[in-house]
Amino acid sequence: MGKFKKIFLVLLPLFILFAQLFPMTQVAAAEEEQDERYEAIQDRGELVVGLSADYAPYEFHATVDGEDEIVGFDISIAQKIADDMGVDLRVEEMGFDALLGALDTEKIDLIISGMSPTPERLQEVDFSEPYMNSQQRLVVREEDQDKYTSGEQFEDVPVSVQKQTTQEELANDELKDAQVTSLQKIPDVVMNLKNEKVDAAILEGPVAEAYVEENDDLALSDLEFEEGDKETAVAFPKDSPVLAENINDSIQTINDENLMEGYQEEANELMFSEEDQGFFAKYYPYYLSGTGYTILLAIIGVIFGIILGVIFALMKLSSIKILRVLASIYIEYVRGTPLLVQIFIVYFGTGILGLDFSRFVAGCIALSLNSAAYVAEIIRAGINGVDKGQMEAARSLGMDRTESMRYIIFPQAIKNILPALGNELVTVIKESSVISVIGVSELIFQAGNVQGASFKPFLPYLIVSLIYFVLTFTLSRLLGFAERRMKTSD
């Protein structure tokens, strides 16, 4: 025992020294890791900030010097942080509920989008010191301004909020037994109120005041929320002390020098500028851009969908069992899952794998893969619809299987499935609207931008519906003409 005691007394100081050094080693490793994060921004010379630009006056689209720009005091804060870091600012726009996923997969460096720290969010990301405190307000129709004064009055009352926000929590916690409708975009929340789909909406103070000022049929209720005080902060990846220090230093400067007041005044001026300019004259570039992206997405989606569809159709018709099984699994999986889920898998999943696809490329890939599953079944049905005697006749003339398929079976199959392929193209045009969730500037995305900038919740979507109708009607007529020409040989 004496021998072991001596060994223990000799080793004890070493254990104590190691215990003291080990935490320091961990801290050093964490700082080194964060230094790498910060250095990545410095090496890139660019700070990538994610936001949802339908939240005036925080962030919204406006025409500045004839150019469409994302403006608002969140943009001013982002620019201040980038300037203090000595790098350029790049803004990535997407749906609000896609922002945390984009931050987690390193698509963006920060989120500055009127976001507040919540226990759920704090499990995923860290937040800076708050740069704004605001009260949540209840917006109602003008005739109902004095109707709702207590949270106890909302039993079975429909209320709209933006999903995954403080407003959604307030509606569930303080408006007793209310029927809460959670929507992705603030303009949709307001549109539901104006169209009497709901009786009230919860908005952040500055946003609520902006909509009430622009809509005479809306008013602010005097109802006060117990937990309505909201702190707005910058979200960034966890365990990022150096990045956090830089962000907090910039926010401290903004608060010390009272820069926020100037940022808000500038945002308010841009919100209500160019009032003498007509709606169409002001916003038609948004619709032109959105239409171009929608058509391009549909063309790419259908072309690659047909190419991949032919491959999967032939795999499913193959005599090789493994090819049939693989094709069946792919087709059933894609047809059995929503396109929205597939878009998220492609966009965020490729980021996890280290593939840095742009939003547009990710959208094209998701749309093509989705279309391929449906086109494969259309083509397979068309091939099976050709009389088996056609293959036998072709083989009897000396053609091999490949030549028979190419010159005899496929031409007849395409003629039979042309209407179905046309329907698929029309479907792709309409389904491309789902890609707006990751920020691809197609028609629905641009309609949301116009909503946020104009405070008109209904008109932008009415115009978009007419554009979609023109596109699909024109395409249907062209397909009908092609179908009649192919039937002339009959």
Side-chain angles (χ1 to χ4, degrees), residues 72-142:
F73 52 76
D74 273 351
I75 301 299
S76 300
I77 293 169
Q79 189 64 63
K80 172 64 175 172
I81 294 172
D83 290 343
D84 290 348
M85 288 186 181
V87 297
D88 295 329
L89 173 66
R90 176 160 64 91
V91 173
E92 287 289 332
E93 185 182 4
M94 59 191 68
F96 188 81
D97 54 350
L99 291 173
L100 289 174
L103 184 63
D104 187 52
T105 55
E106 301 183 10
K107 298 285 186 181
I108 56 178
D109 299 318
L110 310 175
I111 298 174
I112 308 180
S113 191
M115 184 173 284
S116 60
T118 63
E120 294 77 14
R121 290 173 183 160
L122 286 169
Q123 293 179 4
E124 302 295 330
V125 298
D126 283 339
F127 281 88
S128 69
E129 294 297 320
Y131 60 83
M132 173 174 280
N133 287 290
S134 59
Q135 286 290 327
Q136 308 306 304
R137 301 298 303 272
L138 185 73
V139 182
V140 296
R141 289 184 291 276
E142 200 271 338

Side-chain angles (χ1 to χ4, degrees), residues 101-102 104-107 343-358 362:
D104 187 52
T105 55
E106 301 183 10
K107 298 285 186 181
I343 291 169
F344 280 136
I345 289 175
V346 172
Y347 184 59
F348 295 130
T350 53
I352 294 174
L353 296 174
L355 301 174
D356 188 18
F357 289 140
S358 69

